[in-house]
Amino acid sequence: MLEIQIMPSILAADIGRLEEACKHAERSGADALHIDVMDGHFVPNISLGPEVVRMARESVNIPLSVHLMITQPDRYAETFIEAGADTVLIHIEASCNVEEILHNIRKAGARPGITINPETSVTMIEDILQQQLADEVLFMTVHPGFGGQRFIESVLSKINAIREKYPELDLSVDGGLNLETAVQSARHGANIFMVGTTLFKATDMTSEIAQMRKQTLVAFQPFSLSSK
Ligand code: DX5
Ligand code: ZN
């Protein structure tokens, strides 16, 4: 049975108080932390690295979902697993043998996930899903690289298409999520929500997460029933 999971994306946290932000997210009811890694090449921005993952691992007890927006995930995936990543999400658009690296992530003891950009067709990930190489599909609902962007609605039909074929697979969304867009995503079959700006700018993260969990659970209900 799939679970609804809310994962704060610490890219939106106060960088000067990152450790406290991780603990705050955990105390507020986060199911896991989402950590964005950018190399200034795959995306036009540079963000967090393995030392931040290590810090998070030492600060909280919830799982860490590490999103690699880097050109060569094959060179770095293991470093992030050693640092404490539980899930490693790589991009189908990366310049590497994606199938091999998903396999290696699993072999190294982490949970492999495949990420797909808004303009990439879902046919690109069909083989990977058929071979069960990924335990999660992360749908980018913004162009990767920056927090605080607007949710791209055209991604919703792609989520729906994959949900219809894979009723038991974790489907996550990342970018531009608030209560409304998270509920929209759940209605199209998403069960995991990576949320940056909305949660870290909220005056009460606990109630924001609780509300989002409650409403996405209701919106996701038709899928959880059909997957029984
Ligand atoms: C974007 C990142 C997202 C980002 C989401 O490239 O992958 O995880 O932090 O931030 P918001 O929720 O602010 O769009
Ligand atoms: Zn992300």
Side-chain angles (χ1 to χ4, degrees):
M1 218 5 206
L2 291 176
E3 280 174 23
I4 295 290
Q5 295 194 50
I6 314 289
M7 305 190 182
S9 174
I10 64 167
L11 186 69
D14 178 351
I15 194 86
R17 304 174 64 205
L18 216 42
E19 184 178 1
E20 177 45 33
C22 294
K23 290 180 173 165
H24 175 58
E26 182 180 40
R27 281 196 304 270
S28 303
D31 294 287
L33 294 181
H34 182 77
I35 305 179
D36 286 314
V37 177
M38 307 178 187
D39 65 355
H41 186 67
F42 183 76
V43 289
N45 194 8
I46 299 178
S47 64
L48 314 169
E51 291 315 314
V52 170
V53 175
R54 209 178 301 282
M55 175 280 292
R57 183 65 295 146
E58 282 165 15
S59 313
V60 297
N61 291 312
I62 48 178
L64 305 178
S65 152
V66 175
H67 178 192
L68 298 182
M69 285 161 276
I70 63 179
T71 307
Q72 294 180 294
D74 46 335
R75 284 185 61 182
Y76 298 100
E78 244 170 78
T79 307
F80 284 95
I81 295 168
E82 276 161 22
D86 295 281
T87 294
V88 178
L89 298 151
I90 63 166
H91 271 259
I92 187 71
E93 301 87 1
S95 337
C96 66
N97 183 337
V98 173
E99 302 190 359
E100 188 181 318
I101 176 169
L102 288 169
H103 176 77
N104 289 340
I105 290 169
R106 200 188 295 287
K107 220 170 76 185
R111 195 173 156 274
I114 189 73
T115 309
I116 174 166
N117 278 340
E119 60 283 346
T120 304
S121 158
V122 288
T123 57
M124 298 288 291
I125 58 169
E126 273 294 344
D127 272 0
I128 286 167
L129 299 186
Q130 289 288 332
Q131 295 177 67
Q132 301 187 333
L133 288 171
D135 292 352
E136 177 176 343
V137 179
L138 172 60
F139 292 87
M140 291 309 300
T141 41
V142 297
H143 297 290
F146 300 91
Q149 302 182 73
R150 232 183 116 89
F151 183 84
I152 301 172
E153 282 196 22
S154 58
V155 179
L156 292 171
S157 58
K158 296 202 306 189
I159 303 171
N160 226 163
I162 294 297
R163 173 56 73 218
E164 276 176 11
K165 284 193 185 167
Y166 300 93
E168 315 256 344
L169 188 63
D170 276 323
L171 302 187
S172 50
V173 278
D174 186 11
L177 293 177
N178 52 37
L179 200 52
E180 190 189 334
T181 54
V183 166
Q184 261 183 308
S185 305
R187 233 181 249 136
H188 287 80
N191 65 298
I192 299 179
F193 307 87
M194 318 303 190
V195 193
T197 310
T198 298
L199 289 183
F200 284 100
K201 296 281 178 281
T203 45
D204 183 350
M205 195 193 281
T206 304
S207 80
E208 197 76 30
I209 289 179
Q211 271 288 85
M212 200 173 271
R213 190 187 303 287
K214 198 169 143 198
Q215 295 200 24
T216 52
L217 187 64
V218 172
F220 187 73
Q221 212 54 42
F223 302 104
S224 64
L225 291 175
S226 69
S227 72
K228 268 189 189 162

